[in-house]
Amino acid sequence: MSLREPSAHADSWYARSAGPGEAHPPLQGRETADVVVLGAGLTGLSAALELAQAGLKAIVLEAREVGWGASGRNGGQVIFGYGCDQAKIAGMLGLEASRELFKWSVDAVDQVRRRILEHRIDAHWRDGHAHVAIKPRHVAELKAWQADLAENYGYPLQWWDREPLQAVVSSPRYIGALYDPCSGHLHPLNYTRGLARAATQAGVRIFEHSRVTSLQRGARPLLRTDGGEVQADFVVLAGNALVHGIAPELDARVMPVGTYIGATAPLGAERARELIRNDMAVADINWALDYFRFSADHRLLFGGRASYSTLPPPGLAGVMTRRMRRVFPQLADVGFEQVWGGLIDISLNRAPHWGRLGDNVYFAQGFSGHGVAATGLAGQVIAEAIRGQAGRLDVFSRIPHRPFPGGRALRTPLLVAAMAWFKLRDALW
């Protein structure tokens, strides 16, 4: 197995800074396995690793390269919970089931830490995450969330008013924060490549540049690529926003959304610590949110723009720079060396959409921008189900998911219109 140069990956600061990953050949000819996985991101690799450790033969098919999609380009924030609040999940499933899902999400953050240590992954892990308030409405929302998590889920978070918050985050924009010392942040591409290395060491075979063109269902389903095919007892669909047409009944229940991140030049340890003194990750709670953290070499990594049409916004670097300076006016002399983006998938209710099609095709999608820890949980839960322990997947499968309105032709314009309303609300209220 050869090593890949960092520049071979889709361009981002993560790709430029990551250590070389292993290069995997494209699929040629026919293969068989116990399980074949579509997608070499965090969900697919987690499932494959769990299955291989249990003694099953697993093959992973990846259209581009390991971590090429959202798993290797995201904001790197590793947070408990899911894309929607637990209160929404409790409303759909009841409080007891919501408590189970919440506990599993907390365990998923711990699982990331354990895998980093167990597999010696150079993931640049840092402890700490804060959700911050810009307006009094946000303060009320965060305090209500804090009370709900403490009372119903046994998960206490720290509340910081303006003064203690500004002693940690040197920004005039925020008036309060909900701090979690157990969440954190990491280098997502290094983590994904490390997980792939652990999977191959456990016996998983990964084929890159092997885009799946069709799924043939049946007693032993078949995934076909341009160069070959894999037949297995079970299939796992883990391509998220980048998969279309393989299982059409899933397509209407997720929407691809473009998200974007910028990286400054290194600011130096002293200047970085003046801005975020405890090196935590930060995110506000606007619908069109800003989120940011420092890299291990003291660059500010700042995400703050999304495109619901999937087209990159015009003047993206300028827009991102203005948003960054609104948070940190003291960076008036700093711009971005690099800005990159990619697609994530959102579900209509922002809840995870995980389950099975028939008896032997499993899927996980709808991470809704909250996937670094939840993807690992999804892979683990699906692997358990394939091994005959489907209790946890059955709970997730109970979450109701409706298709996006408007059908193929109108669902994107309708979503763009809806997001314009939420952005207006952020600005005015």
Side-chain angles (χ1 to χ4, degrees):
M1 199 169 292
S2 60
L3 293 181
R4 163 193 351 278
E5 293 301 320
S7 60
H9 195 273
D11 193 27
S12 70
W13 177 78
Y14 297 131
R16 293 184 183 184
S17 61
E22 296 175 340
H24 304 274
L27 178 68
Q28 298 290 336
R30 182 179 175 85
E31 299 282 349
T32 61
D34 297 313
V35 184
V36 56
V37 178
L38 185 161
L42 291 173
T43 303
L45 293 170
S46 176
L49 174 60
E50 295 278 341
L51 291 164
Q53 290 175 333
L56 277 71
K57 180 181 177 183
I59 287 177
V60 178
L61 302 177
E62 167 56 44
R64 299 293 187 99
E65 298 169 359
V66 167
W68 188 90
S71 293
R73 302 191 210 181
N74 61 73
Q77 303 198 6
V78 186
I79 313 169
F80 65 85
Y82 306 95
C84 67
D85 290 343
Q86 288 301 132
K88 179 178 281 190
I89 294 176
M92 294 186 287
L93 300 183
L95 183 57
E96 288 307 311
S98 181
R99 285 172 172 161
E100 288 186 305
L101 265 68
F102 182 80
K103 179 185 181 301
W104 298 338
S105 80
V106 173
D107 292 344
V109 176
D110 291 337
Q111 180 194 64
V112 172
R113 287 197 192 89
R114 289 194 304 271
R115 283 177 167 169
I116 289 171
L117 293 173
E118 179 183 355
H119 303 296
R120 300 180 181 180
I121 302 172
D122 183 22
H124 305 175
W125 175 269
R126 297 291 185 273
D127 291 319
H129 182 277
H131 287 93
V132 291
I134 301 170
K135 304 174 181 181
R137 168 172 65 89
H138 296 157
V139 171
E141 290 175 6
L142 285 173
K143 287 187 173 181
W145 190 33
Q146 179 189 26
D148 182 47
L149 291 178
E151 294 168 12
N152 292 316
Y153 301 92
Y155 197 77
L157 297 175
Q158 300 174 26
W159 175 255
W160 296 344
D161 288 318
R162 182 193 291 267
E163 187 174 343
L165 170 59
Q166 292 191 348
V168 179
V169 179
S170 184
S171 171
R173 185 162 170 75
Y174 304 123
I175 61 175
L178 204 53
Y179 175 68
D180 178 24
C182 298
S183 294
H185 59 96
L186 50 63
H187 189 302
L189 183 55
N190 272 358
Y191 179 61
T192 306
R193 286 180 171 175
L195 207 59
R197 185 170 58 252
T200 58
Q201 289 172 353
V204 175
R205 298 177 66 195
I206 299 173
F207 294 95
E208 295 179 313
H209 303 288
S210 300
R211 183 177 65 88
V212 172
T213 57
S214 68
L215 163 64
Q216 179 180 308
R217 306 187 199 192
R220 278 179 54 80
L222 187 76
L223 287 182
R224 290 192 176 90
T225 73
D226 290 332
E229 59 187 31
V230 181
Q231 189 164 41
D233 296 320
F234 300 96
V235 167
V236 179
L237 302 178
N240 303 316
L242 300 179
V243 178
H244 306 282
I246 301 302
E249 62 265 58
L250 300 180
D251 293 350
R253 285 169 170 77
V254 291
M255 176 74 75
V257 172
T259 63
Y260 305 92
I261 303 172
T264 69
L267 301 183
E270 182 177 353
R271 194 174 188 186
R273 292 297 80 78
E274 288 174 354
L275 298 177
I276 305 178
R277 288 174 179 79
N278 66 351
D279 204 16
M280 67 180 177
V282 182
D284 70 38
I285 61 168
N286 269 333
W287 192 267
L289 77 164
D290 294 327
Y291 53 94
F292 50 91
R293 64 190 184 90
F294 276 99
S295 65
D297 66 348
H298 312 300
R299 299 170 187 268
L300 182 64
L301 305 179
F302 189 96
R305 195 67 173 88
S307 171
Y308 292 89
S309 69
T310 73
L311 299 174
L316 177 61
V319 171
M320 296 280 286
T321 301
R322 288 191 293 274
R323 293 179 75 110
M324 175 188 69
R325 293 174 180 170
R326 185 168 56 182
V327 173
F328 292 119
Q330 54 271 61
L331 297 184
D333 61 328
V334 175
F336 291 116
E337 279 195 346
Q338 196 176 10
V339 175
W340 67 92
L343 296 179
I344 63 169
D345 60 337
I346 63 172
S347 58
L348 188 60
N349 58 12
R350 302 301 191 271
H353 186 207
W354 309 349
R356 61 173 68 78
L357 304 175
D359 295 328
N360 54 11
V361 177
Y362 293 79
F363 67 89
Q365 60 180 20
F367 293 96
S368 302
H370 202 101
V372 181
T375 45
L377 174 63
Q380 186 179 47
V381 166
I382 287 174
E384 291 170 359
I386 289 172
R387 295 171 54 208
Q389 299 172 342
R392 295 209 292 177
L393 184 62
D394 288 343
V395 179
F396 282 100
S397 298
R398 288 172 48 204
I399 298 174
H401 286 277
R402 293 186 296 136
F404 279 83
R408 183 178 297 275
L410 295 177
R411 64 178 187 160
T412 294
L414 288 173
L415 183 64
V416 170
M419 294 309 104
W421 155 246
F422 283 114
K423 291 177 183 178
L424 180 64
R425 188 189 70 158
D426 286 344
L428 297 180
W429 182 42

